[in-house]
Amino acid sequence: MAAAKDRAAPRTELADLPASPSSFVGRSADLEALALRFEEGAQLVTITGLGGMGKTRLALRFAETQAQAYTAPGAGGVWFCDLSGIRGPVEACAAVAAAVGVQLSHRGGDLAERLGRALARRGRLLLVLDNFEQLAAHAAATVGIWQRASPRIRLLVTSRVALGVVGEHLWCLRPLELPATSVRDPAVIAATSAVVLFLRRARQRRPDLVVGDEDLEAAAEIVRRLDGIPLAIELAAARLTALSIPQLRDRLVDRLGLLVRRGDDGRHASMRRTIADAWEQLGPAEARCLAGCTIFAGGFSVAAAEVVLAAEGAGVLADLESLCLRSLVRATPRPDLDGELRFSLYETIREFAAERLAATPGAGERLAKRHTAYFTEFGRSLAAAATSTGGPAARRLDLELDNLLAACARALDSDSSAAQALSLATTLCGPLLRRGVAGRARELLDRALDRADAEASAAACAAARLARARALRALGAAAEARRDLDAAIALALAAGDRALEASAHAEVGALIELEGATEDARARFATALACLAADPEGARHPLREAGVRTRLAHAYRREGDLSRAAEEIRRALELHRAADRSADLPWALYEAGVIAWFRGRTDEGLARVDEGLALVADDPTAHHPRGALLYVRAALLQDRGDLDGAFDRYVRALALIRVSGDLYLEASALYYFAGAHLERGLEADAATLLGRALAMFRELGVPRYQALIESCRATLFAAERDLEAAARSLEGARRAAAACRSEGALTATVAIHDLHVRMIVGDEAHRPALLAEARRLAEAHPSDDSRFALRVASAGLPRKATGPSDAPLIVRAGARSLRLPGATADLDLRRRLPLRRIVLALARRRIAAPGEALSLEELLAAGWPDERVGDSAAANRVHVALSTLRKKFGLRPYLLSGRDGYALTSAFPCVLEPEPEPAPARE
């Protein structure tokens, strides 16, 4: 530090600032914000944040950037004072005086005031006070006095807690930028500041470190699990002397045990010590509150904290506020909940505080009971509100999913009331189905219903049966769902709950409609509407009515009464939009888009679908509605003739739908995806997809799609001159269509495919008349299916492929070589045995199941069939192999990655061929 005697003339040189221990990463926005605060007149700015967040480094960099402004003629310079270890105001004054070169006698008034006057004589200066948290209680007697005595002084303070003095401007230092979980692009991952810091520190330890795509993905996971805290990232990177990046990721289960800098006893030598230092500054009530916060899974609201954490008759708001000011608890505003704050913990702090909670006898058990009781009542009240008032209640349930799951697991695994477990499991069904986790919902409800006893009311049991029926229907277990629905209706009648009765009748109608009995289904929907009308609180259930009308529109659409279908969906949309926000609005828009599609109004259908996609765009968990909407968008683009756009949407939609677990929707999408292949001329792929979809619909017991698929397959068999198979498929289609007698468009579609078969195998002179009859049927019974059948018949079979390239991706037998579409030479894989095996596995999956991916586990087994390796090493091997195939062998445009693994694109044909015969040697 520079030291000099105090004198009237201000210093013009810059004081010696401590050298920054390492390079500065990120924080440009923070630097700009600090500069703006001072430009707007702030005299005191306090940088707050968790220990290890980089407050000192930011303050030093800011001081360096401001050097010229504060060392110009007439200015007082830039000064830095480290106050770590200082405990009282006298010591603080002495340390600051020494840092700025002021000599103070101990006579003549208050020491802080004399120092303030001395600073005032320096003129305009910037004083950086580092590590002020242990002096926060003395801030008014030090910083507060210096402010008043020296109006031209500018104070930049770093502290884990706000100082609380008049005129203080707070700047809370947040974690470094993290890569989004959805980002897979290596360049984007590598550019985020948290990953940049990690890799820079890693190369300090290992200058020869080579980072591949799989290492970047592991690094992204590491910095996410460390919450982007710079100190934690640096401590983690220091362990790379003996670990690979994937190995380091896998060892982060014990964060506090791993994040230690060996041979260092400083205050930043470990995350445990950094957090322990902050813990020691807490009062008993604050410490209890922080330990108690660990009972929450994920985040929590202030309302939940006040109930779960409060002792008898006491509140926690003041303690929670103090912990936020100390940066030990994060408070994040939720724009979707009118700016309400959501509280959460950094994971390293959670781990430390959970240890403290476990060390207090009985505390964890008491908190767990209050947590379970609170979320049982919370879920019970919001589950009804989510149906009757729409969006906010559904959003709150989704937001508290982790807490509800934790409470339910505790209720099921303990001696808690069986009624609590039943209520929580029923509440969880909606959020879990919205995320496409129907199997998890069924599992919880199975266990809860098994435990249900006399404590549970008839209404509670009816609600649980109804919820389980919805999960079973999503899983394709129609018979089991129907048994639950019948039981739910009987229980609802016994309880006198007309709204529950209405919901159960609507679900029964949906099941009946799947079987092809649309008239019976409409009768059930009418019964459901009558129950709602008779409910004394019926006015509170507009979204239940909207749901029934959406199903009624679906039934009318199946029957070909598109005008009534359009009217019902219009009324449903009005009810959804009248609510604040309805979680089911995207599904109503899905149905509206399909109705427009059936009516041949492609632009209107796209508009409805795009509106639905916009509603779920920011929800990373909305796999189910996003997949459904993308699938309809693909079909609409196919209807318009945009096959490239359709293929892209089908692949993305199927990946999302598989995650959701909706077997019916997946099979339906496979059927339409097969149609896109057929229209492109990829008949072998179309046949494969149709076969898979048919097997699924037979298992689900859905006759209408069996009729569609069998009749379409008949045309493919006819094109191959397998007339017996074509006749069998047509007969099967007619039998399935007979179960759906009210669906005229379905019967017409089967007839059009029949006419197409006759066009293929019959006399060419009769083809114009047969095609004219097909057009008449399509016009008389407009639907997406009849138009598709007519397009295929008009184009004729067989046809040449019309994809982006006529040339296929060729994989030679045993994958000894491969030829990319349009290439003139093969790529040699003979010396790359694991790559050969992986390419062969990808090609076989591409041919057997177009659009379906191979998981990492399947690719590992294919490439290294006889080896057993750990998870991190396995993932590393597979990623390196795929990266090599993409970069060195040119498969990047053809090798797709998704949520469930990797696949060869189905936009190009793929064939397995024997190796070409070598050319004869010249004599």
Side-chain angles (χ1 to χ4, degrees):
M1 301 292 173
K5 293 184 178 181
D6 181 31
R7 54 180 184 268
R11 296 174 64 91
T12 58
E13 69 271 20
L14 172 68
D16 292 334
L17 294 171
S20 181
S22 54
S23 58
F24 189 79
V25 175
R27 303 302 193 194
S28 58
D30 296 286
L31 290 171
E32 293 173 4
L34 292 175
L36 183 62
R37 293 293 187 279
F38 285 118
E39 288 171 9
E40 292 177 345
Q43 191 179 9
L44 165 64
V45 177
T46 303
I47 304 173
T48 62
L50 177 69
M53 197 62 78
K55 300 183 294 296
T56 300
R57 193 166 296 169
L58 175 64
L60 284 170
R61 176 53 62 96
F62 180 78
E64 292 170 3
T65 64
Q66 299 297 308
Q68 185 173 0
Y70 286 94
T71 57
V78 178
W79 306 90
F80 178 90
C81 181
D82 182 3
L83 294 168
S84 56
I86 304 297
R87 292 293 182 270
V90 173
E91 291 178 81
C93 289
V96 172
V100 300
V102 172
Q103 291 184 345
L104 295 173
S105 66
H106 291 276
R107 296 174 297 171
D110 181 87
L111 191 63
E113 291 181 351
R114 282 187 284 121
L115 177 56
R117 290 194 294 271
L119 293 171
R121 289 193 292 272
R122 293 290 181 88
R124 184 172 180 270
L125 63 83
L126 174 65
L127 176 58
V128 180
L129 302 176
D130 194 31
N131 298 309
F132 204 91
E133 53 270 3
Q134 73 280 354
L135 290 166
H138 307 294
T142 52
V143 170
I145 291 174
W146 302 337
Q147 280 184 279
R148 293 192 298 273
S150 180
R152 299 185 66 193
I153 192 174
R154 295 295 178 265
L155 292 153
L156 180 62
V157 179
T158 73
S159 173
R160 297 183 185 183
V161 60
L163 308 190
V165 299
V166 176
E168 179 184 29
H169 290 247
L170 294 178
W171 183 253
C172 182
L173 194 58
R174 302 293 182 184
L176 293 173
E177 175 199 10
L178 294 170
T181 55
S182 59
V183 172
R184 303 296 293 271
D185 187 338
V188 175
I189 292 173
T192 55
S193 54
V195 175
V196 169
L197 176 64
F198 176 79
L199 294 179
R200 285 188 184 179
R201 299 298 178 265
R203 290 192 172 102
Q204 285 179 326
R205 292 280 175 168
R206 292 173 55 188
D208 60 342
L209 181 67
V210 176
V211 180
D213 290 354
E214 67 285 350
D215 296 310
L216 279 173
E217 290 186 8
E221 179 64 18
I222 288 169
V223 297
R224 290 189 202 106
R225 291 168 66 178
L226 298 177
D227 295 307
I229 300 172
L231 175 61
I233 291 172
E234 293 185 358
L235 291 172
R239 309 311 296 266
L240 291 178
T241 302
L243 298 172
S244 69
I245 296 177
Q247 286 175 323
L248 175 61
R249 173 199 59 203
D250 296 341
R251 288 174 177 260
L252 279 180
V253 177
D254 177 18
R255 294 175 181 82
L256 295 179
L258 189 72
L259 301 179
V260 178
R261 185 181 286 118
R262 304 299 179 189
D264 185 351
D265 60 356
R267 61 200 301 264
H268 285 165
S270 73
M271 283 303 297
R272 181 180 292 280
R273 175 168 178 178
T274 297
I275 299 169
D277 288 345
W279 184 275
E280 290 171 3
Q281 296 175 23
L282 299 177
E286 294 168 327
R288 284 195 301 272
C289 183
L290 182 56
C293 287
T294 62
I295 201 66
F296 294 104
F300 56 95
S301 66
V302 68
E306 287 178 321
V307 174
V308 176
L309 303 183
E312 192 80 19
V316 298
L317 186 59
D319 294 330
L320 200 57
E321 181 181 43
S322 176
L323 293 171
C324 288
L325 288 172
R326 293 177 181 275
S327 301
L328 294 170
V329 172
R330 290 184 288 185
T332 306
R334 295 283 308 196
D336 56 337
L337 295 175
D338 299 324
E340 179 182 310
L341 293 180
R342 181 82 177 164
F343 300 94
S344 61
L345 300 180
Y346 293 110
E347 288 306 309
T348 48
I349 292 179
R350 177 185 292 280
E351 189 174 324
F352 184 94
E355 293 174 355
R356 294 299 189 270
L357 180 64
T360 306
E365 184 178 350
R366 291 192 299 272
L367 284 169
K369 287 181 178 179
R370 289 205 292 268
H371 181 274
T372 302
Y374 174 83
F375 281 102
T376 300
E377 183 54 36
F378 172 88
R380 183 183 294 118
S381 62
L382 281 189
T387 302
S388 62
T389 62
R395 288 199 297 276
R396 288 184 185 278
L397 282 176
D398 291 344
L399 193 61
E400 297 292 1
L401 179 60
D402 290 339
N403 280 308
L404 290 165
L405 283 168
C408 187
R410 197 181 298 122
L412 288 168
D413 294 336
S414 69
D415 295 329
S416 299
S417 162
Q420 270 189 332
L422 193 66
S423 178
L424 284 162
T426 303
T427 296
L428 277 162
C429 188
L432 289 174
L433 289 181
R434 282 193 286 276
R435 281 163 173 74
V437 197
R440 178 66 170 146
R442 177 191 179 169
E443 175 195 345
L444 294 175
L445 284 159
D446 282 349
R447 294 179 62 193
L449 281 164
D450 285 345
R451 284 194 56 190
D453 53 25
E455 292 182 43
S457 67
C461 290
R465 295 271 186 181
L466 175 60
R468 187 168 67 177
R470 287 171 173 155
L472 288 166
R473 178 173 178 252
L475 293 169
E480 293 177 69
R482 180 62 185 269
R483 286 194 292 271
D484 263 343
L485 290 172
D486 289 340
I489 290 170
L491 288 164
L493 282 168
D497 192 323
R498 303 306 301 274
L500 265 176
E501 185 187 349
S503 296
H505 278 297
E507 292 292 340
V508 171
L511 286 176
I512 292 173
E513 193 275 332
L514 282 179
E515 297 168 0
T518 55
E519 293 177 350
D520 293 341
R522 285 196 289 106
R524 285 285 186 158
F525 298 145
T527 300
L529 290 173
C531 289
L532 289 175
D535 184 4
E537 297 183 343
R540 295 180 55 233
H541 303 303
L543 293 183
R544 288 188 177 179
E545 179 186 345
V548 177
R549 293 199 180 279
T550 299
R551 286 173 167 168
L552 193 54
H554 181 84
Y556 279 128
R557 169 167 65 84
R558 290 291 186 219
E559 294 176 351
D561 194 343
L562 299 183
S563 295
R564 286 190 179 180
E567 175 58 23
E568 289 296 339
I569 201 62
R570 181 192 64 77
R571 295 171 70 180
L573 288 172
E574 286 179 352
L575 290 165
H576 280 297
R577 288 181 171 133
D580 177 39
R581 181 173 184 262
S582 167
D584 290 331
L585 177 55
W587 288 107
L589 289 164
Y590 163 87
E591 182 62 34
V594 176
I595 291 170
W597 173 24
F598 269 52
R599 301 176 82 184
R601 300 179 179 182
T602 306
D603 289 342
E604 179 186 336
L606 287 169
R608 297 294 197 193
V609 167
D610 287 344
E611 182 183 351
L613 286 169
L615 290 173
V616 297
D618 297 327
D619 185 353
T621 65
H623 312 308
H624 199 198
R626 187 181 293 114
L629 288 159
L630 272 175
Y631 140 51
V632 176
R633 196 176 208 288
L636 284 162
L637 292 175
Q638 178 185 343
D639 213 21
R640 178 182 272 181
D642 181 3
L643 290 178
D644 288 344
F647 263 69
D648 175 63
R649 270 71 171 189
Y650 276 127
V651 170
R652 289 158 55 194
L654 279 163
L656 289 165
I657 293 168
R658 289 189 186 106
V659 172
S660 78
D662 188 332
L663 299 179
Y664 174 87
L665 194 63
E666 181 184 351
S668 174
L670 282 172
Y671 162 68
Y672 286 102
F673 193 26
H677 282 79
L678 190 56
E679 291 200 74
R680 175 158 271 173
L682 303 173
E683 293 158 16
D685 290 332
T688 298
L689 290 168
L690 287 171
R692 292 177 58 211
L694 180 61
M696 293 175 73
F697 278 124
R698 281 175 175 164
E699 185 176 348
L700 292 168
V702 181
R704 78 172 309 274
Y705 275 102
Q706 292 181 52
L708 290 171
I709 294 168
E710 287 281 34
S711 58
C712 188
R713 291 176 82 208
T715 63
L716 292 172
F717 288 133
E720 295 172 356
R721 291 302 187 267
D722 189 345
L723 303 186
E724 289 185 7
R728 285 196 303 271
S729 285
L730 281 173
E731 181 57 30
R734 295 188 191 100
R735 281 198 306 270
C740 310
R741 288 184 297 273
S742 59
E743 297 189 39
L746 175 62
T747 303
T749 301
V750 173
I752 293 170
H753 283 305
D754 187 2
L755 290 166
H756 187 191
V757 169
R758 291 158 62 187
M759 289 165 59
I760 294 172
V761 302
D763 190 334
E764 188 170 348
H766 297 150
R767 290 181 186 178
L770 294 171
L771 185 58
E773 176 62 12
R775 288 198 183 97
R776 186 193 67 76
L777 285 169
E779 290 170 2
H781 302 280
S783 76
D784 59 308
D785 298 312
S786 60
R787 283 196 303 275
F788 162 70
L790 179 62
R791 286 199 306 273
V792 174
S794 299
L797 286 175
R799 294 185 303 114
K800 187 179 180 182
T802 59
S805 170
D806 291 342
L809 174 66
I810 302 173
V811 179
R812 307 295 184 193
R816 297 178 64 188
S817 65
L818 63 89
R819 180 173 295 189
L820 301 180
T824 57
D826 286 3
L827 297 170
D828 190 351
L829 293 174
R830 283 176 295 180
R831 297 183 180 180
R832 302 293 192 103
L833 184 57
L835 294 188
R836 286 174 55 189
R837 291 169 174 163
I838 288 174
V839 168
L840 190 59
L842 288 166
R844 286 172 173 166
R845 178 60 59 88
R846 160 66 185 82
I847 293 168
E852 188 171 306
L854 284 170
S855 67
L856 282 175
E857 292 78 10
E858 290 173 312
L859 289 168
L860 178 70
W864 298 269
D866 300 321
E867 296 187 35
R868 298 290 181 269
V869 292
D871 290 343
S872 60
N876 183 59
R877 282 187 175 185
V878 173
H879 283 302
V880 168
L882 295 174
S883 179
T884 302
L885 288 171
R886 281 172 163 160
K887 294 178 180 178
K888 185 169 183 178
F889 290 93
L891 278 179
R892 185 178 295 278
Y894 314 104
L895 183 56
L896 307 177
S897 61
R899 296 176 182 274
D900 47 356
Y902 296 82
L904 293 176
T905 177
S906 59
F908 287 79
C910 179
V911 296
L912 288 171
E913 289 186 357
E915 290 288 338
E917 294 292 334
R922 293 183 179 179
E923 295 183 1

